[in-house]
Amino acid sequence: MLLFYLFGTVAVVASLLVVAQRNPIYSVLLLVASFGALSGLYVLLDAPFVAAIQIIIYAGAIMVLFLFVVMLLNAPHEETEYDERVHPLLRPGPMRFGAFLAVLFA
């Protein structure tokens, strides 16, 4: 039961950090960590085939492709004084709306 809560916490925290990151490469790597935690949850639910497919297909192929595309495009991250002073979830826009939905549906 402890592993279930550990994998669940890692999956939720990594997924929230994917949205909060300014650097797209870190977002992709955190998404891979989230997929790893989900595969751990699948193993605990006695679904090892789904866990293996999660790692091989999603984390191994699709996310590596995303990482190569992000690195190829060299997407810059914009930093302004406003961004440095305000926490990501307190900024206006989609992050605030996403945080509201997360609290609403939790």
mmCIF file of all heavy atoms in Angstrom, residues 38-91:
data_model
loop_
_atom_site.group_PDB
_atom_site.id
_atom_site.type_symbol
_atom_site.label_atom_id
_atom_site.label_comp_id
_atom_site.label_asym_id
_atom_site.label_seq_id
_atom_site.Cartn_x
_atom_site.Cartn_y
_atom_site.Cartn_z
ATOM 1 N N LEU A 38 3.405 5.891 -13.472
ATOM 2 C CA LEU A 38 2.170 5.215 -13.898
ATOM 3 C C LEU A 38 2.419 3.743 -14.195
ATOM 4 O O LEU A 38 1.579 2.890 -13.883
ATOM 5 C CB LEU A 38 1.599 5.904 -15.134
ATOM 6 C CG LEU A 38 0.878 7.222 -14.893
ATOM 7 C CD1 LEU A 38 0.447 7.835 -16.213
ATOM 8 C CD2 LEU A 38 -0.313 7.008 -13.997
ATOM 9 N N SER A 39 3.563 3.442 -14.769
ATOM 10 C CA SER A 39 3.854 2.027 -15.022
ATOM 11 C C SER A 39 4.055 1.279 -13.708
ATOM 12 O O SER A 39 3.699 0.107 -13.601
ATOM 13 C CB SER A 39 5.076 1.879 -15.924
ATOM 14 O OG SER A 39 6.244 2.290 -15.250
ATOM 15 N N GLY A 40 4.604 1.933 -12.698
ATOM 16 C CA GLY A 40 4.698 1.315 -11.378
ATOM 17 C C GLY A 40 3.327 1.036 -10.790
ATOM 18 O O GLY A 40 3.104 0.003 -10.160
ATOM 19 N N LEU A 41 2.395 1.957 -11.000
ATOM 20 C CA LEU A 41 1.017 1.729 -10.552
ATOM 21 C C LEU A 41 0.383 0.545 -11.279
ATOM 22 O O LEU A 41 -0.344 -0.249 -10.682
ATOM 23 C CB LEU A 41 0.179 2.990 -10.754
ATOM 24 C CG LEU A 41 0.459 4.139 -9.800
ATOM 25 C CD1 LEU A 41 -0.297 5.381 -10.230
ATOM 26 C CD2 LEU A 41 0.090 3.753 -8.392
ATOM 27 N N TYR A 42 0.671 0.422 -12.572
ATOM 28 C CA TYR A 42 0.131 -0.713 -13.323
ATOM 29 C C TYR A 42 0.693 -2.038 -12.807
ATOM 30 O O TYR A 42 -0.026 -3.040 -12.752
ATOM 31 C CB TYR A 42 0.428 -0.584 -14.815
ATOM 32 C CG TYR A 42 -0.385 0.478 -15.513
ATOM 33 C CD1 TYR A 42 0.192 1.307 -16.476
ATOM 34 C CD2 TYR A 42 -1.729 0.654 -15.236
ATOM 35 C CE1 TYR A 42 -0.546 2.269 -17.116
ATOM 36 C CE2 TYR A 42 -2.476 1.612 -15.874
ATOM 37 C CZ TYR A 42 -1.877 2.420 -16.814
ATOM 38 O OH TYR A 42 -2.606 3.372 -17.448
ATOM 39 N N VAL A 43 1.954 -2.063 -12.435
ATOM 40 C CA VAL A 43 2.542 -3.287 -11.883
ATOM 41 C C VAL A 43 1.861 -3.652 -10.567
ATOM 42 O O VAL A 43 1.568 -4.825 -10.307
ATOM 43 C CB VAL A 43 4.069 -3.117 -11.696
ATOM 44 C CG1 VAL A 43 4.647 -4.239 -10.856
ATOM 45 C CG2 VAL A 43 4.761 -3.062 -13.037
ATOM 46 N N LEU A 44 1.602 -2.634 -9.741
ATOM 47 C CA LEU A 44 0.921 -2.903 -8.474
ATOM 48 C C LEU A 44 -0.512 -3.383 -8.674
ATOM 49 O O LEU A 44 -1.070 -4.069 -7.819
ATOM 50 C CB LEU A 44 0.924 -1.657 -7.600
ATOM 51 C CG LEU A 44 2.292 -1.243 -7.049
ATOM 52 C CD1 LEU A 44 2.175 0.062 -6.291
ATOM 53 C CD2 LEU A 44 2.855 -2.330 -6.161
ATOM 54 N N LEU A 45 -1.110 -3.038 -9.799
ATOM 55 C CA LEU A 45 -2.466 -3.488 -10.103
ATOM 56 C C LEU A 45 -2.479 -4.811 -10.863
ATOM 57 O O LEU A 45 -3.490 -5.192 -11.448
ATOM 58 C CB LEU A 45 -3.199 -2.417 -10.917
ATOM 59 C CG LEU A 45 -3.503 -1.125 -10.169
ATOM 60 C CD1 LEU A 45 -4.028 -0.066 -11.125
ATOM 61 C CD2 LEU A 45 -4.504 -1.382 -9.063
ATOM 62 N N ASP A 46 -1.340 -5.508 -10.873
ATOM 63 C CA ASP A 46 -1.186 -6.807 -11.548
ATOM 64 C C ASP A 46 -1.467 -6.723 -13.045
ATOM 65 O O ASP A 46 -2.149 -7.564 -13.619
ATOM 66 C CB ASP A 46 -2.076 -7.878 -10.913
ATOM 67 C CG ASP A 46 -1.603 -8.262 -9.531
ATOM 68 O OD1 ASP A 46 -0.384 -8.164 -9.297
ATOM 69 O OD2 ASP A 46 -2.443 -8.642 -8.701
ATOM 70 N N ALA A 47 -0.935 -5.690 -13.669
ATOM 71 C CA ALA A 47 -1.026 -5.535 -15.122
ATOM 72 C C ALA A 47 0.376 -5.279 -15.677
ATOM 73 O O ALA A 47 0.681 -4.182 -16.147
ATOM 74 C CB ALA A 47 -1.966 -4.407 -15.476
ATOM 75 N N PRO A 48 1.263 -6.291 -15.628
ATOM 76 C CA PRO A 48 2.647 -6.049 -16.061
ATOM 77 C C PRO A 48 2.779 -5.788 -17.554
ATOM 78 O O PRO A 48 3.683 -5.057 -17.977
ATOM 79 C CB PRO A 48 3.373 -7.331 -15.660
ATOM 80 C CG PRO A 48 2.316 -8.360 -15.571
ATOM 81 C CD PRO A 48 1.070 -7.648 -15.150
ATOM 82 N N PHE A 49 1.884 -6.359 -18.361
ATOM 83 C CA PHE A 49 1.962 -6.098 -19.801
ATOM 84 C C PHE A 49 1.682 -4.628 -20.106
ATOM 85 O O PHE A 49 2.393 -4.006 -20.899
ATOM 86 C CB PHE A 49 0.976 -6.997 -20.559
ATOM 87 C CG PHE A 49 0.988 -6.755 -22.039
ATOM 88 C CD1 PHE A 49 2.039 -7.207 -22.814
ATOM 89 C CD2 PHE A 49 -0.041 -6.060 -22.655
ATOM 90 C CE1 PHE A 49 2.068 -6.978 -24.173
ATOM 91 C CE2 PHE A 49 -0.029 -5.824 -24.011
ATOM 92 C CZ PHE A 49 1.035 -6.291 -24.777
ATOM 93 N N VAL A 50 0.670 -4.076 -19.466
ATOM 94 C CA VAL A 50 0.341 -2.665 -19.679
ATOM 95 C C VAL A 50 1.489 -1.781 -19.182
ATOM 96 O O VAL A 50 1.817 -0.771 -19.802
ATOM 97 C CB VAL A 50 -0.986 -2.305 -18.989
ATOM 98 C CG1 VAL A 50 -1.308 -0.843 -19.157
ATOM 99 C CG2 VAL A 50 -2.108 -3.160 -19.519
ATOM 100 N N ALA A 51 2.124 -2.168 -18.070
ATOM 101 C CA ALA A 51 3.255 -1.408 -17.556
ATOM 102 C C ALA A 51 4.419 -1.436 -18.541
ATOM 103 O O ALA A 51 5.059 -0.404 -18.783
ATOM 104 C CB ALA A 51 3.694 -1.969 -16.209
ATOM 105 N N ALA A 52 4.692 -2.597 -19.121
ATOM 106 C CA ALA A 52 5.781 -2.702 -20.094
ATOM 107 C C ALA A 52 5.471 -1.894 -21.351
ATOM 108 O O ALA A 52 6.353 -1.215 -21.898
ATOM 109 C CB ALA A 52 6.024 -4.163 -20.444
ATOM 110 N N ILE A 53 4.235 -1.948 -21.800
ATOM 111 C CA ILE A 53 3.850 -1.172 -22.979
ATOM 112 C C ILE A 53 3.944 0.321 -22.682
ATOM 113 O O ILE A 53 4.365 1.113 -23.534
ATOM 114 C CB ILE A 53 2.424 -1.567 -23.430
ATOM 115 C CG1 ILE A 53 2.422 -2.990 -23.948
ATOM 116 C CG2 ILE A 53 1.893 -0.615 -24.479
ATOM 117 C CD1 ILE A 53 3.311 -3.236 -25.133
ATOM 118 N N GLN A 54 3.579 0.718 -21.475
ATOM 119 C CA GLN A 54 3.665 2.132 -21.069
ATOM 120 C C GLN A 54 5.106 2.619 -21.174
ATOM 121 O O GLN A 54 5.363 3.710 -21.674
ATOM 122 C CB GLN A 54 3.152 2.286 -19.629
ATOM 123 C CG GLN A 54 3.243 3.665 -19.063
ATOM 124 C CD GLN A 54 2.083 4.536 -19.438
ATOM 125 O OE1 GLN A 54 1.042 4.045 -19.849
ATOM 126 N NE2 GLN A 54 2.260 5.819 -19.303
ATOM 127 N N ILE A 55 6.047 1.823 -20.708
ATOM 128 C CA ILE A 55 7.451 2.218 -20.751
ATOM 129 C C ILE A 55 7.994 2.151 -22.173
ATOM 130 O O ILE A 55 8.633 3.089 -22.653
ATOM 131 C CB ILE A 55 8.294 1.321 -19.808
ATOM 132 C CG1 ILE A 55 7.929 1.594 -18.367
ATOM 133 C CG2 ILE A 55 9.781 1.532 -20.034
ATOM 134 C CD1 ILE A 55 8.281 2.968 -17.875
ATOM 135 N N ILE A 56 7.725 1.052 -22.871
ATOM 136 C CA ILE A 56 8.326 0.864 -24.198
ATOM 137 C C ILE A 56 7.760 1.851 -25.204
ATOM 138 O O ILE A 56 8.505 2.518 -25.934
ATOM 139 C CB ILE A 56 8.099 -0.581 -24.686
ATOM 140 C CG1 ILE A 56 8.914 -1.534 -23.820
ATOM 141 C CG2 ILE A 56 8.490 -0.730 -26.144
ATOM 142 C CD1 ILE A 56 8.586 -2.988 -24.051
ATOM 143 N N ILE A 57 6.436 1.977 -25.267
ATOM 144 C CA ILE A 57 5.829 2.803 -26.305
ATOM 145 C C ILE A 57 5.832 4.275 -25.925
ATOM 146 O O ILE A 57 6.321 5.115 -26.671
ATOM 147 C CB ILE A 57 4.399 2.323 -26.588
ATOM 148 C CG1 ILE A 57 4.471 0.896 -27.040
ATOM 149 C CG2 ILE A 57 3.707 3.256 -27.558
ATOM 150 C CD1 ILE A 57 3.813 0.512 -28.279
ATOM 151 N N TYR A 58 5.287 4.611 -24.767
ATOM 152 C CA TYR A 58 5.142 6.024 -24.426
ATOM 153 C C TYR A 58 6.461 6.652 -24.007
ATOM 154 O O TYR A 58 6.915 7.623 -24.599
ATOM 155 C CB TYR A 58 4.077 6.221 -23.349
ATOM 156 C CG TYR A 58 2.685 6.026 -23.865
ATOM 157 C CD1 TYR A 58 1.910 4.973 -23.425
ATOM 158 C CD2 TYR A 58 2.164 6.884 -24.804
ATOM 159 C CE1 TYR A 58 0.633 4.779 -23.908
ATOM 160 C CE2 TYR A 58 0.885 6.703 -25.294
ATOM 161 C CZ TYR A 58 0.130 5.643 -24.841
ATOM 162 O OH TYR A 58 -1.128 5.452 -25.322
ATOM 163 N N ALA A 59 7.088 6.111 -22.971
ATOM 164 C CA ALA A 59 8.320 6.724 -22.473
ATOM 165 C C ALA A 59 9.488 6.442 -23.404
ATOM 166 O O ALA A 59 10.352 7.293 -23.595
ATOM 167 C CB ALA A 59 8.626 6.218 -21.067
ATOM 168 N N GLY A 60 9.509 5.272 -23.998
ATOM 169 C CA GLY A 60 10.652 4.907 -24.822
ATOM 170 C C GLY A 60 10.620 5.458 -26.223
ATOM 171 O O GLY A 60 11.658 5.790 -26.778
ATOM 172 N N ALA A 61 9.472 5.579 -26.822
ATOM 173 C CA ALA A 61 9.415 5.994 -28.223
ATOM 174 C C ALA A 61 8.832 7.383 -28.392
ATOM 175 O O ALA A 61 9.481 8.277 -28.948
ATOM 176 C CB ALA A 61 8.589 4.981 -29.016
ATOM 177 N N ILE A 62 7.634 7.595 -27.933
ATOM 178 C CA ILE A 62 6.954 8.861 -28.184
ATOM 179 C C ILE A 62 7.622 10.017 -27.457
ATOM 180 O O ILE A 62 7.853 11.082 -28.023
ATOM 181 C CB ILE A 62 5.462 8.742 -27.821
ATOM 182 C CG1 ILE A 62 4.793 7.753 -28.774
ATOM 183 C CG2 ILE A 62 4.784 10.092 -27.879
ATOM 184 C CD1 ILE A 62 3.376 7.423 -28.438
ATOM 185 N N MET A 63 7.976 9.818 -26.182
ATOM 186 C CA MET A 63 8.577 10.920 -25.433
ATOM 187 C C MET A 63 9.989 11.219 -25.907
ATOM 188 O O MET A 63 10.430 12.362 -25.877
ATOM 189 C CB MET A 63 8.562 10.624 -23.930
ATOM 190 C CG MET A 63 7.170 10.599 -23.361
ATOM 191 S SD MET A 63 6.113 11.979 -23.863
ATOM 192 C CE MET A 63 7.004 13.366 -23.281
ATOM 193 N N VAL A 64 10.720 10.207 -26.366
ATOM 194 C CA VAL A 64 12.040 10.464 -26.942
ATOM 195 C C VAL A 64 11.889 11.268 -28.226
ATOM 196 O O VAL A 64 12.670 12.187 -28.498
ATOM 197 C CB VAL A 64 12.790 9.138 -27.176
ATOM 198 C CG1 VAL A 64 14.042 9.351 -27.985
ATOM 199 C CG2 VAL A 64 13.122 8.497 -25.845
ATOM 200 N N LEU A 65 10.866 10.960 -29.007
ATOM 201 C CA LEU A 65 10.592 11.750 -30.204
ATOM 202 C C LEU A 65 10.263 13.190 -29.840
ATOM 203 O O LEU A 65 10.767 14.136 -30.467
ATOM 204 C CB LEU A 65 9.443 11.120 -30.987
ATOM 205 C CG LEU A 65 9.009 11.844 -32.254
ATOM 206 C CD1 LEU A 65 10.101 11.761 -33.298
ATOM 207 C CD2 LEU A 65 7.718 11.272 -32.766
ATOM 208 N N PHE A 66 9.429 13.394 -28.817
ATOM 209 C CA PHE A 66 9.122 14.752 -28.355
ATOM 210 C C PHE A 66 10.388 15.469 -27.908
ATOM 211 O O PHE A 66 10.584 16.646 -28.202
ATOM 212 C CB PHE A 66 8.126 14.728 -27.204
ATOM 213 C CG PHE A 66 6.707 14.492 -27.604
ATOM 214 C CD1 PHE A 66 5.731 14.402 -26.633
ATOM 215 C CD2 PHE A 66 6.333 14.376 -28.920
ATOM 216 C CE1 PHE A 66 4.413 14.189 -26.982
ATOM 217 C CE2 PHE A 66 5.024 14.150 -29.288
ATOM 218 C CZ PHE A 66 4.069 14.056 -28.310
ATOM 219 N N LEU A 67 11.240 14.766 -27.184
ATOM 220 C CA LEU A 67 12.482 15.373 -26.702
ATOM 221 C C LEU A 67 13.371 15.779 -27.864
ATOM 222 O O LEU A 67 13.937 16.878 -27.866
ATOM 223 C CB LEU A 67 13.212 14.398 -25.781
ATOM 224 C CG LEU A 67 14.486 14.906 -25.141
ATOM 225 C CD1 LEU A 67 14.186 16.094 -24.242
ATOM 226 C CD2 LEU A 67 15.160 13.806 -24.358
ATOM 227 N N PHE A 68 13.488 14.951 -28.881
ATOM 228 C CA PHE A 68 14.292 15.307 -30.038
ATOM 229 C C PHE A 68 13.709 16.504 -30.784
ATOM 230 O O PHE A 68 14.442 17.376 -31.243
ATOM 231 C CB PHE A 68 14.434 14.122 -30.993
ATOM 232 C CG PHE A 68 15.395 13.078 -30.504
ATOM 233 C CD1 PHE A 68 15.256 11.779 -30.914
ATOM 234 C CD2 PHE A 68 16.429 13.387 -29.644
ATOM 235 C CE1 PHE A 68 16.130 10.801 -30.471
ATOM 236 C CE2 PHE A 68 17.309 12.430 -29.192
ATOM 237 C CZ PHE A 68 17.158 11.131 -29.612
ATOM 238 N N VAL A 69 12.387 16.560 -30.908
ATOM 239 C CA VAL A 69 11.754 17.696 -31.588
ATOM 240 C C VAL A 69 11.980 18.985 -30.808
ATOM 241 O O VAL A 69 12.314 20.025 -31.380
ATOM 242 C CB VAL A 69 10.249 17.429 -31.805
ATOM 243 C CG1 VAL A 69 9.522 18.691 -32.215
ATOM 244 C CG2 VAL A 69 10.055 16.341 -32.833
ATOM 245 N N VAL A 70 11.825 18.926 -29.500
ATOM 246 C CA VAL A 70 12.036 20.122 -28.677
ATOM 247 C C VAL A 70 13.488 20.570 -28.770
ATOM 248 O O VAL A 70 13.784 21.757 -28.901
ATOM 249 C CB VAL A 70 11.626 19.849 -27.211
ATOM 250 C CG1 VAL A 70 12.135 20.921 -26.290
ATOM 251 C CG2 VAL A 70 10.121 19.748 -27.109
ATOM 252 N N MET A 71 14.408 19.624 -28.734
ATOM 253 C CA MET A 71 15.819 19.991 -28.832
ATOM 254 C C MET A 71 16.170 20.480 -30.231
ATOM 255 O O MET A 71 17.013 21.367 -30.391
ATOM 256 C CB MET A 71 16.692 18.808 -28.441
ATOM 257 C CG MET A 71 16.592 18.466 -26.975
ATOM 258 S SD MET A 71 17.465 16.980 -26.531
ATOM 259 C CE MET A 71 19.134 17.571 -26.534
ATOM 260 N N LEU A 72 15.532 19.927 -31.249
ATOM 261 C CA LEU A 72 15.798 20.352 -32.615
ATOM 262 C C LEU A 72 15.288 21.766 -32.859
ATOM 263 O O LEU A 72 15.962 22.582 -33.491
ATOM 264 C CB LEU A 72 15.137 19.380 -33.602
ATOM 265 C CG LEU A 72 15.327 19.688 -35.087
ATOM 266 C CD1 LEU A 72 16.781 19.493 -35.465
ATOM 267 C CD2 LEU A 72 14.444 18.793 -35.918
ATOM 268 N N LEU A 73 14.103 22.063 -32.339
ATOM 269 C CA LEU A 73 13.547 23.402 -32.510
ATOM 270 C C LEU A 73 14.235 24.428 -31.626
ATOM 271 O O LEU A 73 14.147 25.624 -31.897
ATOM 272 C CB LEU A 73 12.052 23.389 -32.195
ATOM 273 C CG LEU A 73 11.180 22.611 -33.162
ATOM 274 C CD1 LEU A 73 9.749 22.622 -32.677
ATOM 275 C CD2 LEU A 73 11.276 23.200 -34.554
ATOM 276 N N ASN A 74 14.894 23.967 -30.569
ATOM 277 C CA ASN A 74 15.571 24.847 -29.629
ATOM 278 C C ASN A 74 14.635 25.946 -29.156
ATOM 279 O O ASN A 74 14.931 27.139 -29.275
ATOM 280 C CB ASN A 74 16.845 25.423 -30.243
ATOM 281 C CG ASN A 74 17.752 26.028 -29.211
ATOM 282 O OD1 ASN A 74 17.575 25.794 -28.016
ATOM 283 N ND2 ASN A 74 18.724 26.791 -29.659
ATOM 284 N N ALA A 75 13.493 25.536 -28.648
ATOM 285 C CA ALA A 75 12.471 26.483 -28.210
ATOM 286 C C ALA A 75 12.979 27.282 -27.012
ATOM 287 O O ALA A 75 13.274 26.716 -25.964
ATOM 288 C CB ALA A 75 11.199 25.743 -27.839
ATOM 289 N N PRO A 76 13.081 28.576 -27.169
ATOM 290 C CA PRO A 76 13.575 29.388 -26.049
ATOM 291 C C PRO A 76 12.484 29.565 -25.004
ATOM 292 O O PRO A 76 11.293 29.530 -25.305
ATOM 293 C CB PRO A 76 13.922 30.720 -26.694
ATOM 294 C CG PRO A 76 13.010 30.806 -27.863
ATOM 295 C CD PRO A 76 12.811 29.385 -28.346
ATOM 296 N N HIS A 77 12.894 29.755 -23.777
ATOM 297 C CA HIS A 77 11.933 30.055 -22.731
ATOM 298 C C HIS A 77 12.086 31.522 -22.365
ATOM 299 O O HIS A 77 13.182 32.039 -22.236
ATOM 300 C CB HIS A 77 12.111 29.139 -21.527
ATOM 301 C CG HIS A 77 13.469 29.180 -20.911
ATOM 302 N ND1 HIS A 77 14.547 28.494 -21.433
ATOM 303 C CD2 HIS A 77 13.934 29.826 -19.828
ATOM 304 C CE1 HIS A 77 15.598 28.723 -20.698
ATOM 305 N NE2 HIS A 77 15.263 29.535 -19.712
ATOM 306 N N GLU A 78 10.965 32.171 -22.269
ATOM 307 C CA GLU A 78 10.949 33.604 -22.026
ATOM 308 C C GLU A 78 10.866 33.874 -20.535
ATOM 309 O O GLU A 78 10.025 33.317 -19.834
ATOM 310 C CB GLU A 78 9.732 34.212 -22.723
ATOM 311 C CG GLU A 78 9.614 35.697 -22.549
ATOM 312 C CD GLU A 78 8.395 36.245 -23.268
ATOM 313 O OE1 GLU A 78 7.887 35.562 -24.156
ATOM 314 O OE2 GLU A 78 7.974 37.342 -22.915
ATOM 315 N N GLU A 79 11.751 34.722 -20.056
ATOM 316 C CA GLU A 79 11.728 35.091 -18.652
ATOM 317 C C GLU A 79 11.591 36.602 -18.542
ATOM 318 O O GLU A 79 12.351 37.342 -19.143
ATOM 319 C CB GLU A 79 13.006 34.637 -17.952
ATOM 320 C CG GLU A 79 13.125 33.147 -17.864
ATOM 321 C CD GLU A 79 14.303 32.716 -17.017
ATOM 322 O OE1 GLU A 79 14.751 33.523 -16.180
ATOM 323 O OE2 GLU A 79 14.761 31.596 -17.201
ATOM 324 N N THR A 80 10.597 37.001 -17.808
ATOM 325 C CA THR A 80 10.398 38.429 -17.570
ATOM 326 C C THR A 80 10.465 38.690 -16.073
ATOM 327 O O THR A 80 10.490 37.769 -15.265
ATOM 328 C CB THR A 80 9.029 38.884 -18.110
ATOM 329 O OG1 THR A 80 8.009 38.182 -17.409
ATOM 330 C CG2 THR A 80 8.903 38.612 -19.603
ATOM 331 N N GLU A 81 10.495 39.939 -15.703
ATOM 332 C CA GLU A 81 10.524 40.272 -14.283
ATOM 333 C C GLU A 81 9.239 39.811 -13.591
ATOM 334 O O GLU A 81 9.267 39.380 -12.452
ATOM 335 C CB GLU A 81 10.702 41.773 -14.100
ATOM 336 C CG GLU A 81 12.065 42.274 -14.514
ATOM 337 C CD GLU A 81 12.187 43.768 -14.332
ATOM 338 O OE1 GLU A 81 11.413 44.335 -13.534
ATOM 339 O OE2 GLU A 81 13.051 44.358 -14.972
ATOM 340 N N TYR A 82 8.119 39.905 -14.290
ATOM 341 C CA TYR A 82 6.853 39.472 -13.708
ATOM 342 C C TYR A 82 6.884 37.976 -13.417
ATOM 343 O O TYR A 82 6.420 37.524 -12.381
ATOM 344 C CB TYR A 82 5.703 39.804 -14.649
ATOM 345 C CG TYR A 82 4.348 39.353 -14.135
ATOM 346 C CD1 TYR A 82 3.717 40.042 -13.104
ATOM 347 C CD2 TYR A 82 3.720 38.245 -14.675
ATOM 348 C CE1 TYR A 82 2.492 39.630 -12.625
ATOM 349 C CE2 TYR A 82 2.493 37.833 -14.206
ATOM 350 C CZ TYR A 82 1.878 38.529 -13.175
ATOM 351 O OH TYR A 82 0.671 38.114 -12.700
ATOM 352 N N ASP A 83 7.447 37.187 -14.317
ATOM 353 C CA ASP A 83 7.512 35.747 -14.120
ATOM 354 C C ASP A 83 8.402 35.377 -12.945
ATOM 355 O O ASP A 83 8.177 34.386 -12.277
ATOM 356 C CB ASP A 83 8.036 35.057 -15.375
ATOM 357 C CG ASP A 83 7.028 35.073 -16.496
ATOM 358 O OD1 ASP A 83 5.835 35.236 -16.194
ATOM 359 O OD2 ASP A 83 7.430 34.929 -17.657
ATOM 360 N N GLU A 84 9.447 36.144 -12.719
ATOM 361 C CA GLU A 84 10.355 35.837 -11.617
ATOM 362 C C GLU A 84 9.747 36.176 -10.265
ATOM 363 O O GLU A 84 10.089 35.563 -9.265
ATOM 364 C CB GLU A 84 11.674 36.588 -11.805
ATOM 365 C CG GLU A 84 12.455 36.115 -13.021
ATOM 366 C CD GLU A 84 13.668 36.974 -13.296
ATOM 367 O OE1 GLU A 84 13.894 37.953 -12.548
ATOM 368 O OE2 GLU A 84 14.384 36.675 -14.254
ATOM 369 N N ARG A 85 8.849 37.150 -10.214
ATOM 370 C CA ARG A 85 8.273 37.577 -8.945
ATOM 371 C C ARG A 85 7.051 36.770 -8.533
ATOM 372 O O ARG A 85 6.759 36.648 -7.358
ATOM 373 C CB ARG A 85 7.876 39.063 -9.010
ATOM 374 C CG ARG A 85 9.050 39.998 -8.983
ATOM 375 C CD ARG A 85 8.580 41.432 -8.990
ATOM 376 N NE ARG A 85 8.122 41.751 -10.338
ATOM 377 C CZ ARG A 85 7.037 42.484 -10.601
ATOM 378 N NH1 ARG A 85 6.325 42.978 -9.639
ATOM 379 N NH2 ARG A 85 6.690 42.721 -11.831
ATOM 380 N N VAL A 86 6.310 36.227 -9.499
ATOM 381 C CA VAL A 86 5.025 35.598 -9.212
ATOM 382 C C VAL A 86 5.138 34.081 -9.382
ATOM 383 O O VAL A 86 5.733 33.597 -10.331
ATOM 384 C CB VAL A 86 3.942 36.160 -10.162
ATOM 385 C CG1 VAL A 86 2.616 35.489 -9.921
ATOM 386 C CG2 VAL A 86 3.830 37.659 -9.979
ATOM 387 N N HIS A 87 4.557 33.347 -8.447
ATOM 388 C CA HIS A 87 4.531 31.880 -8.525
ATOM 389 C C HIS A 87 3.755 31.454 -9.768
ATOM 390 O O HIS A 87 2.773 32.099 -10.145
ATOM 391 C CB HIS A 87 3.868 31.328 -7.255
ATOM 392 C CG HIS A 87 4.007 29.858 -7.131
ATOM 393 N ND1 HIS A 87 3.103 28.991 -7.666
ATOM 394 C CD2 HIS A 87 4.967 29.099 -6.546
ATOM 395 C CE1 HIS A 87 3.468 27.762 -7.415
ATOM 396 N NE2 HIS A 87 4.599 27.805 -6.736
ATOM 397 N N PRO A 88 4.161 30.344 -10.427
ATOM 398 C CA PRO A 88 3.494 29.942 -11.678
ATOM 399 C C PRO A 88 1.989 29.737 -11.559
ATOM 400 O O PRO A 88 1.243 30.027 -12.491
ATOM 401 C CB PRO A 88 4.190 28.632 -12.043
ATOM 402 C CG PRO A 88 5.495 28.686 -11.369
ATOM 403 C CD PRO A 88 5.304 29.499 -10.121
ATOM 404 N N LEU A 89 1.509 29.224 -10.428
ATOM 405 C CA LEU A 89 0.074 28.980 -10.309
ATOM 406 C C LEU A 89 -0.721 30.240 -9.999
ATOM 407 O O LEU A 89 -1.945 30.226 -10.065
ATOM 408 C CB LEU A 89 -0.183 27.924 -9.246
ATOM 409 C CG LEU A 89 0.327 26.527 -9.589
ATOM 410 C CD1 LEU A 89 0.061 25.579 -8.452
ATOM 411 C CD2 LEU A 89 -0.287 26.020 -10.866
ATOM 412 N N LEU A 90 -0.048 31.328 -9.662
ATOM 413 C CA LEU A 90 -0.756 32.572 -9.375
ATOM 414 C C LEU A 90 -0.811 33.495 -10.595
ATOM 415 O O LEU A 90 -1.433 34.545 -10.548
ATOM 416 C CB LEU A 90 -0.083 33.305 -8.204
ATOM 417 C CG LEU A 90 -0.129 32.561 -6.874
ATOM 418 C CD1 LEU A 90 0.607 33.352 -5.811
ATOM 419 C CD2 LEU A 90 -1.549 32.305 -6.436
ATOM 420 N N ARG A 91 -0.145 33.112 -11.665
ATOM 421 C CA ARG A 91 -0.181 33.920 -12.886
ATOM 422 C C ARG A 91 -1.529 33.768 -13.577
ATOM 423 O O ARG A 91 -2.167 32.725 -13.490
ATOM 424 C CB ARG A 91 0.911 33.465 -13.848
ATOM 425 C CG ARG A 91 2.272 33.746 -13.345
ATOM 426 C CD ARG A 91 3.300 33.361 -14.391
ATOM 427 N NE ARG A 91 4.540 33.108 -13.714
ATOM 428 C CZ ARG A 91 5.348 32.109 -13.970
ATOM 429 N NH1 ARG A 91 5.064 31.256 -14.917
ATOM 430 N NH2 ARG A 91 6.446 31.951 -13.298
#
